Amino acid sequence: MFDKLISVIVPIYNGEGYIATFMDMLRKQTIQNFEVIMVDDGSVDNSLEILKLYADNRNFVFHQKNKGVSSARNFGIKEARGDIFIFPDIDDVIAEDYLEKLVSCLTDNVQLGFCGYSEEKNGVVNYKYIPKIVEYTDRLTFINNMVKHHGICSALWNKVYSADIVRDNKIFFDESVTIGEDLLFTMEYLKYVDRINSNADILYVYKINPSGALNRSNSAQVYKDEWNSEWIALQKSESLLQSMLPNKKSIELKNKKFRVASKLLYFSQKLNYEMPDGIKGQLKKELHSNFFTFFLSSHDSFRMKFRIFKRLLLSV
């Protein structure tokens, strides 16, 4: 695999403070057979000007009007020349052997790989995930472990994808979804996967951004329409699962839907948001139908379950 070209696809929006550090981390990688596809998504800071300083025969800089992270990644996929796709975020931290060990997961018979990661907030590591299963041949088991709270994680940054599978099957990010587009992309990709390998090392540090879309809700004064797309992404993911594995159900996907439904309904009432009737009805149905299933089957911590239960009481 080390003789194949890796495409590192990175969307950037107002990332001027992270670019230099990120490019330095790439410079220090233990393997160097990669190109970097940097897509500036209409930044209003100096990101584009800084990116241009790094442009050369393997660091490619592109610019588009602000259309969102999904559009930027789709742009990157179309421009990439590599055999392998990796999607880190510019404000996170990668180990020096991040590319080498992720790419090592792929073989002629393995089409998806992933690694361990840690979560860091305000300079403090609050969670570490170390893969316990080396190889998956059952996609449902992988999906359950991917979507459960503090599992493999549905994010892109700790995974490696075959470019041939993406191109041959025209897999792109859903640009109508702003939260959960990464899960949708991987679910679509899994339709063409037989085996999945992991690397047990922690190769990625995800830095929780307090201003991120998912982290603003607790302090938000206004409900954001984009939050609803997380529910839409889960609905679409469940449909993809049904088409991929007929008559199979993911209990962890159900549990994630329950968590998201309780969160969205709670914040819509707290912030006096008039939720579209269709989505509101779906959320209420989810909470009513799967109340006991969630609290009996979920591996969430007692603290998380208590928070959800409190939200339900306040949403009634």
Side-chain angles (χ1 to χ4, degrees), residues 242-259:
Q242 292 170 359
S243 65
M244 184 194 324
L245 301 171
N247 304 317
K248 297 279 188 177
K249 293 184 178 180
S250 166
I251 185 63
E252 295 297 346
L253 188 57
K254 279 287 185 187
N255 287 339
K256 186 173 180 67
K257 286 180 67 181
F258 191 92
R259 285 194 297 270

Side-chain angles (χ1 to χ4, degrees), residues 7 9 77 80 82-87 159-163 166-167:
S7 291
I9 300 173
I77 288 172
D83 308 292
I84 296 166
F85 289 162
I86 295 180
F87 299 93
K159 299 178 183 64
V160 56
Y161 303 82
S162 162
V166 174
R167 293 189 184 108

Side-chain angles (χ1 to χ4, degrees), residues 18-59:
Y18 305 102
I19 295 170
T21 300
F22 183 80
M23 296 305 293
D24 190 52
M25 288 188 291
L26 287 178
R27 183 182 60 80
K28 294 177 179 177
Q29 289 297 297
T30 52
I31 58 173
Q32 291 290 312
N33 56 315
F34 62 85
E35 64 174 6
V36 188
I37 308 297
M38 297 175 283
V39 183
D40 177 69
D41 184 38
S43 295
V44 295
D45 63 2
N46 294 314
S47 291
L48 183 58
E49 288 71 25
I50 296 172
L51 289 171
K52 288 177 179 178
L53 297 176
Y54 292 93
D56 56 26
N57 60 359
R58 80 163 182 180
N59 296 318

